[in-house]
Amino acid sequence: MPLIDTKPEPATSRRRWWRDLTACGGVLAISAGVFHTAAAVVMRRDVWAQIIDEGFFKTVTLDPSPDRMAVAEAFWFSPGSFGVPILLLGSLVTWLTRRGQRVPGWLGGGMVLWAVLIGLLGGFDFGTIVLLSIGVLLAAGGWTGRRRP
Protein backbone atom coordinates (compact mmCIF):
# COMPACT_ATOMS: atom_id res chain seq x y z
CA MET A 1 0.00 0.00 0.00
CA PRO A 2 1.57 3.36 -0.99
CA LEU A 3 2.05 6.04 1.60
CA ILE A 4 -0.24 9.03 1.27
CA ASP A 5 1.21 12.46 1.90
CA THR A 6 -1.22 14.18 4.26
CA LYS A 7 0.77 17.38 4.59
CA PRO A 8 -1.26 20.20 3.01
CA GLU A 9 0.48 22.12 0.28
CA PRO A 10 0.29 25.91 0.33
CA ALA A 11 -2.30 27.02 -2.20
CA THR A 12 -0.20 29.98 -3.30
CA SER A 13 3.36 30.11 -4.52
CA ARG A 14 5.99 31.61 -2.25
CA ARG A 15 6.50 34.45 -4.68
CA ARG A 16 2.83 35.39 -4.81
CA TRP A 17 2.40 34.94 -1.05
CA TRP A 18 4.93 37.68 -0.24
CA ARG A 19 3.23 40.14 -2.60
CA ASP A 20 -0.14 39.92 -0.87
CA LEU A 21 -1.03 42.95 1.29
CA THR A 22 -2.65 40.68 3.86
CA ALA A 23 0.54 38.65 4.18
CA CYS A 24 2.54 41.85 4.70
CA GLY A 25 0.12 42.82 7.47
CA GLY A 26 0.49 39.37 9.03
CA VAL A 27 4.29 39.51 8.95
CA LEU A 28 4.21 43.03 10.42
CA ALA A 29 1.88 41.80 13.19
CA ILE A 30 4.20 38.88 14.01
CA SER A 31 7.19 41.21 14.12
CA ALA A 32 5.37 43.76 16.29
CA GLY A 33 4.15 41.08 18.71
CA VAL A 34 7.58 39.52 19.12
CA PHE A 35 9.30 42.89 19.47
CA HIS A 36 6.80 44.29 21.98
CA THR A 37 6.79 41.19 24.18
CA ALA A 38 10.57 40.76 24.16
CA ALA A 39 11.32 44.45 24.67
CA ALA A 40 8.81 44.69 27.50
CA VAL A 41 10.36 41.75 29.33
CA VAL A 42 13.88 43.11 28.85
CA MET A 43 12.88 46.61 29.99
CA ARG A 44 11.34 45.19 33.19
CA ARG A 45 13.84 42.37 33.82
CA ASP A 46 14.54 43.49 37.40
CA VAL A 47 10.83 43.24 38.25
CA TRP A 48 10.58 39.84 36.50
CA ALA A 49 13.54 38.66 38.57
CA GLN A 50 11.63 39.77 41.68
CA ILE A 51 8.50 37.92 40.51
CA ILE A 52 10.49 34.72 39.94
CA ASP A 53 12.18 35.06 43.33
CA GLU A 54 8.84 35.52 45.12
CA GLY A 55 7.15 32.69 43.30
CA PHE A 56 5.45 32.90 39.95
CA PHE A 57 1.86 32.07 40.94
CA LYS A 58 -0.58 34.70 42.19
CA THR A 59 1.96 37.54 42.24
CA VAL A 60 -0.19 39.95 40.21
CA THR A 61 -3.50 41.40 41.39
CA LEU A 62 -5.98 43.70 39.72
CA ASP A 63 -5.91 46.03 42.71
CA PRO A 64 -2.22 46.29 43.65
CA SER A 65 -0.95 48.08 46.72
CA PRO A 66 1.59 50.86 46.10
CA ASP A 67 4.52 48.52 46.83
CA ARG A 68 3.17 45.99 44.24
CA MET A 69 2.50 48.55 41.51
CA ALA A 70 5.77 47.77 39.69
CA VAL A 71 4.84 44.08 39.50
CA ALA A 72 1.37 44.86 38.13
CA GLU A 73 2.81 47.32 35.63
CA ALA A 74 5.40 44.78 34.42
CA PHE A 75 2.64 42.20 33.91
CA TRP A 76 0.34 44.55 31.97
CA PHE A 77 3.30 45.76 29.89
CA SER A 78 4.48 42.22 28.99
CA PRO A 79 2.21 39.13 28.85
CA GLY A 80 -0.93 41.07 29.78
CA SER A 81 -0.49 43.54 26.92
CA PHE A 82 -1.40 43.37 23.24
CA GLY A 83 1.95 41.82 22.18
CA VAL A 84 0.96 38.17 22.48
CA PRO A 85 -2.49 38.52 20.83
CA ILE A 86 -0.98 40.52 17.95
CA LEU A 87 1.66 37.80 17.50
CA LEU A 88 -1.06 35.12 17.41
CA LEU A 89 -3.21 37.17 15.03
CA GLY A 90 -0.26 37.67 12.68
CA SER A 91 0.50 33.96 12.76
CA LEU A 92 -3.09 33.10 11.88
CA VAL A 93 -3.18 35.66 9.07
CA THR A 94 0.05 34.40 7.48
CA TRP A 95 -1.08 30.78 7.88
CA LEU A 96 -4.37 31.51 6.12
CA THR A 97 -2.72 33.59 3.41
CA ARG A 98 -0.16 30.91 2.60
CA ARG A 99 -3.02 28.49 2.04
CA GLY A 100 -4.73 30.87 -0.35
CA GLN A 101 -7.60 31.69 2.00
CA ARG A 102 -8.87 35.25 2.21
CA VAL A 103 -8.74 37.11 5.50
CA PRO A 104 -11.86 39.28 5.84
CA GLY A 105 -11.38 43.01 5.45
CA TRP A 106 -13.47 43.76 8.54
CA LEU A 107 -10.65 42.36 10.66
CA GLY A 108 -8.34 45.07 9.36
CA GLY A 109 -11.08 47.66 9.76
CA GLY A 110 -11.45 46.70 13.41
CA MET A 111 -7.69 47.02 13.91
CA VAL A 112 -7.77 50.48 12.31
CA LEU A 113 -10.56 51.58 14.66
CA TRP A 114 -8.69 50.16 17.66
CA ALA A 115 -5.48 51.93 16.66
CA VAL A 116 -7.32 55.24 16.15
CA LEU A 117 -8.95 54.91 19.59
CA ILE A 118 -5.57 54.20 21.20
CA GLY A 119 -4.05 57.12 19.33
CA LEU A 120 -6.78 59.54 20.36
CA LEU A 121 -6.57 58.47 24.01
CA GLY A 122 -2.82 58.07 24.39
CA GLY A 123 -1.18 59.72 21.40
CA PHE A 124 -0.08 58.44 18.04
CA ASP A 125 3.32 56.99 18.95
CA PHE A 126 5.34 54.43 17.00
CA GLY A 127 3.39 51.44 18.37
CA THR A 128 0.05 53.00 17.46
CA ILE A 129 1.28 53.75 13.94
CA VAL A 130 2.38 50.09 13.59
CA LEU A 131 -1.08 48.90 14.73
CA LEU A 132 -2.69 51.31 12.28
CA SER A 133 -0.43 50.01 9.49
CA ILE A 134 -1.31 46.39 10.28
CA GLY A 135 -5.01 47.25 10.17
CA VAL A 136 -4.71 49.13 6.88
CA LEU A 137 -2.77 46.26 5.27
CA LEU A 138 -5.29 43.66 6.46
CA ALA A 139 -8.26 45.77 5.35
CA ALA A 140 -6.71 46.53 1.96
CA GLY A 141 -5.74 42.88 1.47
CA GLY A 142 -9.25 41.73 2.37
CA TRP A 143 -10.81 44.26 0.02
CA THR A 144 -8.54 43.45 -2.93
CA GLY A 145 -8.82 39.72 -2.23
CA ARG A 146 -12.57 39.96 -2.60
CA ARG A 147 -12.25 41.54 -6.02
CA ARG A 148 -9.94 38.84 -7.47
CA PRO A 149 -11.59 36.19 -9.63
Side-chain angles (χ1 to χ4, degrees), residues 6-100:
T6 59
K7 183 178 177 187
E9 288 294 319
T12 59
S13 69
R14 289 186 190 268
R15 187 175 184 161
R16 183 169 179 239
W17 179 79
W18 283 107
R19 288 194 271 167
D20 191 319
L21 291 174
T22 305
C24 292
V27 170
L28 183 58
I30 290 171
S31 302
V34 167
F35 177 78
H36 185 278
T37 305
V41 169
V42 169
M43 290 172 64
R44 303 295 191 270
R45 66 179 165 261
D46 55 333
V47 179
W48 283 106
Q50 173 190 348
I51 290 170
I52 292 170
D53 286 345
E54 293 175 356
F56 200 75
F57 297 101
K58 295 189 177 192
T59 56
V60 179
T61 66
L62 292 177
D63 188 22
S65 62
D67 62 322
R68 302 298 294 171
M69 191 63 74
V71 171
E73 191 265 341
F75 170 77
W76 289 112
F77 189 53
S78 299
S81 72
F82 70 90
V84 175
I86 292 295
L87 169 64
L88 294 172
L89 174 68
S91 300
L92 177 63
V93 166
T94 55
W95 184 78
L96 288 170
T97 306
R98 285 199 55 153
R99 279 151 185 77

Side-chain angles (χ1 to χ4, degrees), residues 71-142:
V71 171
E73 191 265 341
F75 170 77
W76 289 112
F77 189 53
S78 299
S81 72
F82 70 90
V84 175
I86 292 295
L87 169 64
L88 294 172
L89 174 68
S91 300
L92 177 63
V93 166
T94 55
W95 184 78
L96 288 170
T97 306
R98 285 199 55 153
R99 279 151 185 77
Q101 297 179 6
R102 190 178 72 80
V103 176
W106 59 260
L107 184 64
M111 296 256 331
V112 167
L113 291 175
W114 182 40
V116 168
L117 177 65
I118 291 171
L120 291 174
L121 291 173
F124 287 92
D125 59 0
F126 181 72
T128 308
I129 299 301
V130 170
L131 276 178
L132 187 60
S133 301
I134 293 167
V136 167
L137 286 168
L138 294 179

